[in-house]
mmCIF file of all heavy atoms in Angstrom:
data_model
loop_
_atom_site.group_PDB
_atom_site.id
_atom_site.type_symbol
_atom_site.label_atom_id
_atom_site.label_comp_id
_atom_site.label_asym_id
_atom_site.label_seq_id
_atom_site.Cartn_x
_atom_site.Cartn_y
_atom_site.Cartn_z
ATOM 1 N N LEU A 5 -25.736 19.037 6.154
ATOM 2 C CA LEU A 5 -25.251 17.647 6.552
ATOM 3 C C LEU A 5 -23.755 17.534 6.453
ATOM 4 O O LEU A 5 -23.111 18.053 5.638
ATOM 5 C CB LEU A 5 -25.801 16.558 5.521
ATOM 6 C CG LEU A 5 -27.415 16.391 5.534
ATOM 7 C CD1 LEU A 5 -27.821 15.547 4.455
ATOM 8 C CD2 LEU A 5 -27.707 15.711 6.982
ATOM 9 N N ASP A 9 -22.912 12.479 9.324
ATOM 10 C CA ASP A 9 -24.208 12.414 9.258
ATOM 11 C C ASP A 9 -24.583 11.313 8.278
ATOM 12 O O ASP A 9 -25.821 10.610 8.371
ATOM 13 C CB ASP A 9 -25.047 13.597 8.928
ATOM 14 C CG ASP A 9 -24.901 14.732 9.901
ATOM 15 O OD1 ASP A 9 -24.821 14.393 11.228
ATOM 16 O OD2 ASP A 9 -24.799 15.874 9.562
ATOM 17 N N THR A 12 -21.412 5.336 6.846
ATOM 18 C CA THR A 12 -21.639 4.067 7.265
ATOM 19 C C THR A 12 -20.596 3.855 8.409
ATOM 20 O O THR A 12 -19.353 3.993 8.187
ATOM 21 C CB THR A 12 -21.459 2.957 6.254
ATOM 22 O OG1 THR A 12 -22.410 3.166 5.183
ATOM 23 C CG2 THR A 12 -21.648 1.541 6.823
ATOM 24 N N GLY A 21 -1.899 -9.147 4.444
ATOM 25 C CA GLY A 21 -1.249 -10.616 4.304
ATOM 26 C C GLY A 21 -2.260 -11.525 3.758
ATOM 27 O O GLY A 21 -1.883 -12.626 3.404
ATOM 28 N N ILE A 24 -5.359 -13.002 -2.234
ATOM 29 C CA ILE A 24 -6.318 -12.393 -3.048
ATOM 30 C C ILE A 24 -7.663 -13.198 -3.229
ATOM 31 O O ILE A 24 -8.667 -12.719 -3.122
ATOM 32 C CB ILE A 24 -5.840 -12.106 -4.627
ATOM 33 C CG1 ILE A 24 -4.506 -11.166 -4.318
ATOM 34 C CG2 ILE A 24 -6.698 -11.455 -5.478
ATOM 35 C CD1 ILE A 24 -3.752 -10.928 -5.516
ATOM 36 N N LYS A 25 -7.497 -14.511 -3.081
ATOM 37 C CA LYS A 25 -8.626 -15.398 -3.082
ATOM 38 C C LYS A 25 -9.406 -15.059 -1.836
ATOM 39 O O LYS A 25 -10.765 -14.975 -1.762
ATOM 40 C CB LYS A 25 -8.211 -16.897 -3.126
ATOM 41 C CG LYS A 25 -9.391 -17.772 -2.926
ATOM 42 C CD LYS A 25 -8.949 -19.242 -3.083
ATOM 43 C CE LYS A 25 -10.146 -20.088 -3.034
ATOM 44 N NZ LYS A 25 -9.711 -21.596 -3.025
ATOM 45 N N ARG A 26 -8.754 -14.977 -0.658
ATOM 46 C CA ARG A 26 -9.516 -14.740 0.693
ATOM 47 C C ARG A 26 -10.194 -13.337 0.561
ATOM 48 O O ARG A 26 -11.201 -13.193 1.005
ATOM 49 C CB ARG A 26 -8.533 -14.823 1.733
ATOM 50 C CG ARG A 26 -9.095 -14.616 3.123
ATOM 51 C CD ARG A 26 -8.288 -14.799 4.311
ATOM 52 N NE ARG A 26 -9.025 -14.514 5.532
ATOM 53 C CZ ARG A 26 -8.432 -14.610 6.759
ATOM 54 N NH1 ARG A 26 -7.257 -14.973 6.863
ATOM 55 N NH2 ARG A 26 -9.230 -14.326 7.764
ATOM 56 N N GLU A 29 -13.329 -13.549 -1.522
ATOM 57 C CA GLU A 29 -14.302 -14.096 -0.670
ATOM 58 C C GLU A 29 -14.949 -13.237 0.454
ATOM 59 O O GLU A 29 -16.260 -13.170 0.648
ATOM 60 C CB GLU A 29 -13.899 -15.394 -0.070
ATOM 61 C CG GLU A 29 -13.530 -16.547 -0.918
ATOM 62 C CD GLU A 29 -12.687 -17.748 -0.518
ATOM 63 O OE1 GLU A 29 -12.147 -17.535 0.743
ATOM 64 O OE2 GLU A 29 -12.499 -18.831 -1.135
ATOM 65 N N PHE A 31 -15.012 -9.883 0.149
ATOM 66 C CA PHE A 31 -15.927 -8.995 -0.454
ATOM 67 C C PHE A 31 -17.371 -9.482 -0.845
ATOM 68 O O PHE A 31 -18.290 -8.845 -0.570
ATOM 69 C CB PHE A 31 -15.206 -8.400 -1.766
ATOM 70 C CG PHE A 31 -14.169 -7.341 -1.593
ATOM 71 C CD1 PHE A 31 -13.426 -6.913 -2.655
ATOM 72 C CD2 PHE A 31 -13.879 -6.820 -0.313
ATOM 73 C CE1 PHE A 31 -12.447 -6.038 -2.620
ATOM 74 C CE2 PHE A 31 -12.916 -5.851 -0.281
ATOM 75 C CZ PHE A 31 -12.093 -5.392 -1.302
ATOM 76 N N MET A 32 -17.240 -10.777 -1.384
ATOM 77 C CA MET A 32 -18.460 -11.418 -1.767
ATOM 78 C C MET A 32 -19.421 -11.689 -0.438
ATOM 79 O O MET A 32 -20.682 -11.371 -0.596
ATOM 80 C CB MET A 32 -18.200 -12.584 -2.535
ATOM 81 C CG MET A 32 -17.566 -12.322 -3.899
ATOM 82 S SD MET A 32 -17.178 -13.715 -4.784
ATOM 83 C CE MET A 32 -18.717 -14.488 -5.170
ATOM 84 N N ALA A 43 -2.197 -3.544 8.443
ATOM 85 C CA ALA A 43 -1.112 -4.434 8.741
ATOM 86 C C ALA A 43 -1.421 -5.202 9.990
ATOM 87 O O ALA A 43 -2.389 -5.077 10.689
ATOM 88 C CB ALA A 43 0.110 -3.565 8.881
ATOM 89 N N LEU A 48 -3.036 1.497 9.521
ATOM 90 C CA LEU A 48 -3.686 1.702 8.122
ATOM 91 C C LEU A 48 -2.556 1.792 7.123
ATOM 92 O O LEU A 48 -1.693 2.590 7.210
ATOM 93 C CB LEU A 48 -4.574 2.864 8.110
ATOM 94 C CG LEU A 48 -5.249 3.256 6.782
ATOM 95 C CD1 LEU A 48 -6.221 2.122 6.502
ATOM 96 C CD2 LEU A 48 -5.934 4.578 6.936
ATOM 97 N N SER A 77 10.454 -14.501 -2.538
ATOM 98 C CA SER A 77 11.738 -14.148 -2.171
ATOM 99 C C SER A 77 11.640 -13.116 -0.959
ATOM 100 O O SER A 77 12.488 -13.042 -0.092
ATOM 101 C CB SER A 77 12.396 -13.525 -3.298
ATOM 102 O OG SER A 77 11.666 -12.271 -3.787
ATOM 103 N N HIS A 83 13.759 -18.854 -3.270
ATOM 104 C CA HIS A 83 13.526 -18.770 -4.650
ATOM 105 C C HIS A 83 13.296 -20.119 -5.145
ATOM 106 O O HIS A 83 13.785 -21.171 -4.818
ATOM 107 C CB HIS A 83 14.776 -18.281 -5.426
ATOM 108 C CG HIS A 83 15.054 -16.834 -4.993
ATOM 109 N ND1 HIS A 83 14.445 -15.722 -5.589
ATOM 110 C CD2 HIS A 83 15.845 -16.281 -4.081
ATOM 111 C CE1 HIS A 83 14.949 -14.717 -5.039
ATOM 112 N NE2 HIS A 83 15.688 -14.855 -4.142
ATOM 113 N N ALA A 86 12.052 -22.604 -12.161
ATOM 114 C CA ALA A 86 10.877 -22.248 -13.051
ATOM 115 C C ALA A 86 9.812 -23.268 -13.128
ATOM 116 O O ALA A 86 8.683 -22.785 -13.297
ATOM 117 C CB ALA A 86 11.643 -22.055 -14.503
ATOM 118 N N THR A 88 8.539 -25.128 -10.794
ATOM 119 C CA THR A 88 7.777 -24.975 -9.616
ATOM 120 C C THR A 88 6.969 -23.686 -9.614
ATOM 121 O O THR A 88 5.603 -23.712 -9.371
ATOM 122 C CB THR A 88 8.663 -24.943 -8.311
ATOM 123 O OG1 THR A 88 9.403 -26.190 -8.284
ATOM 124 C CG2 THR A 88 7.768 -24.832 -7.008
ATOM 125 N N MET A 93 1.767 -20.720 -10.615
ATOM 126 C CA MET A 93 0.929 -19.700 -11.278
ATOM 127 C C MET A 93 -0.453 -19.955 -11.304
ATOM 128 O O MET A 93 -1.269 -18.917 -11.425
ATOM 129 C CB MET A 93 1.704 -19.409 -12.580
ATOM 130 C CG MET A 93 2.938 -18.572 -12.474
ATOM 131 S SD MET A 93 3.535 -18.158 -14.210
ATOM 132 C CE MET A 93 5.185 -18.697 -14.063
ATOM 133 N N GLY A 94 -0.818 -21.215 -11.480
ATOM 134 C CA GLY A 94 -2.127 -21.630 -11.642
ATOM 135 C C GLY A 94 -3.070 -21.286 -10.400
ATOM 136 O O GLY A 94 -4.198 -21.077 -10.493
ATOM 137 N N VAL A 110 -4.514 6.458 0.722
ATOM 138 C CA VAL A 110 -5.844 6.361 1.296
ATOM 139 C C VAL A 110 -6.447 7.831 1.420
ATOM 140 O O VAL A 110 -5.810 8.562 2.109
ATOM 141 C CB VAL A 110 -5.856 5.717 2.751
ATOM 142 C CG1 VAL A 110 -7.270 5.703 3.439
ATOM 143 C CG2 VAL A 110 -5.223 4.310 2.779
ATOM 144 N N ILE A 111 -7.609 8.028 0.704
ATOM 145 C CA ILE A 111 -8.140 9.412 0.756
ATOM 146 C C ILE A 111 -9.103 9.396 1.952
ATOM 147 O O ILE A 111 -10.013 8.531 2.102
ATOM 148 C CB ILE A 111 -9.007 9.640 -0.573
ATOM 149 C CG1 ILE A 111 -7.950 9.338 -1.793
ATOM 150 C CG2 ILE A 111 -9.453 11.079 -0.440
ATOM 151 C CD1 ILE A 111 -6.786 10.179 -1.869
ATOM 152 N N ASP A 114 -12.344 14.697 6.959
ATOM 153 C CA ASP A 114 -12.812 14.981 8.390
ATOM 154 C C ASP A 114 -14.236 14.686 8.540
ATOM 155 O O ASP A 114 -15.011 14.988 7.639
ATOM 156 C CB ASP A 114 -12.336 16.393 8.766
ATOM 157 C CG ASP A 114 -12.594 16.574 10.222
ATOM 158 O OD1 ASP A 114 -11.731 16.280 11.063
ATOM 159 O OD2 ASP A 114 -13.665 17.114 10.554
ATOM 160 N N GLN A 120 -21.092 18.704 0.248
ATOM 161 C CA GLN A 120 -20.596 19.242 -0.985
ATOM 162 C C GLN A 120 -19.013 18.984 -0.996
ATOM 163 O O GLN A 120 -18.387 18.612 -1.993
ATOM 164 C CB GLN A 120 -20.856 20.776 -0.965
ATOM 165 C CG GLN A 120 -20.373 21.373 -2.258
ATOM 166 C CD GLN A 120 -20.693 22.812 -2.481
ATOM 167 O OE1 GLN A 120 -21.146 23.370 -1.647
ATOM 168 N NE2 GLN A 120 -20.314 23.385 -3.635
ATOM 169 N N VAL A 125 -14.262 16.102 -3.052
ATOM 170 C CA VAL A 125 -13.001 15.412 -2.881
ATOM 171 C C VAL A 125 -13.188 14.050 -3.643
ATOM 172 O O VAL A 125 -12.156 13.660 -4.368
ATOM 173 C CB VAL A 125 -12.714 15.186 -1.439
ATOM 174 C CG1 VAL A 125 -11.627 14.214 -1.303
ATOM 175 C CG2 VAL A 125 -12.407 16.518 -0.795
ATOM 176 N N GLY A 130 -11.419 10.861 -8.250
ATOM 177 C CA GLY A 130 -12.002 9.758 -9.076
ATOM 178 C C GLY A 130 -12.381 8.433 -8.242
ATOM 179 O O GLY A 130 -12.076 7.396 -8.711
ATOM 180 N N ARG A 132 -14.876 6.195 -5.458
ATOM 181 C CA ARG A 132 -16.301 5.877 -5.204
ATOM 182 C C ARG A 132 -16.546 5.657 -3.718
ATOM 183 O O ARG A 132 -17.676 5.460 -3.339
ATOM 184 C CB ARG A 132 -16.768 4.576 -5.954
ATOM 185 C CG ARG A 132 -16.714 4.729 -7.402
ATOM 186 C CD ARG A 132 -17.348 3.344 -8.084
ATOM 187 N NE ARG A 132 -16.808 3.430 -9.376
ATOM 188 C CZ ARG A 132 -16.222 2.308 -9.839
ATOM 189 N NH1 ARG A 132 -15.975 1.231 -9.184
ATOM 190 N NH2 ARG A 132 -15.698 2.338 -11.062
ATOM 191 N N VAL A 136 -13.939 8.409 6.446
ATOM 192 C CA VAL A 136 -14.176 9.463 7.255
ATOM 193 C C VAL A 136 -13.303 9.339 8.634
ATOM 194 O O VAL A 136 -13.371 8.228 9.112
ATOM 195 C CB VAL A 136 -15.697 9.521 7.672
ATOM 196 C CG1 VAL A 136 -15.929 10.808 8.609
ATOM 197 C CG2 VAL A 136 -16.535 9.629 6.302
#
Side-chain angles (χ1 to χ4, degrees):
L5 290 172
D9 296 326
T12 299
I24 296 169
K25 180 179 180 181
R26 182 172 180 184
E29 292 166 352
F31 281 175
M32 292 174 68
L48 182 64
S77 64
H83 294 279
T88 303
M93 280 184 227
V110 181
I111 310 297
D114 187 82
Q120 183 179 4
V125 172
R132 293 188 205 125
V136 181

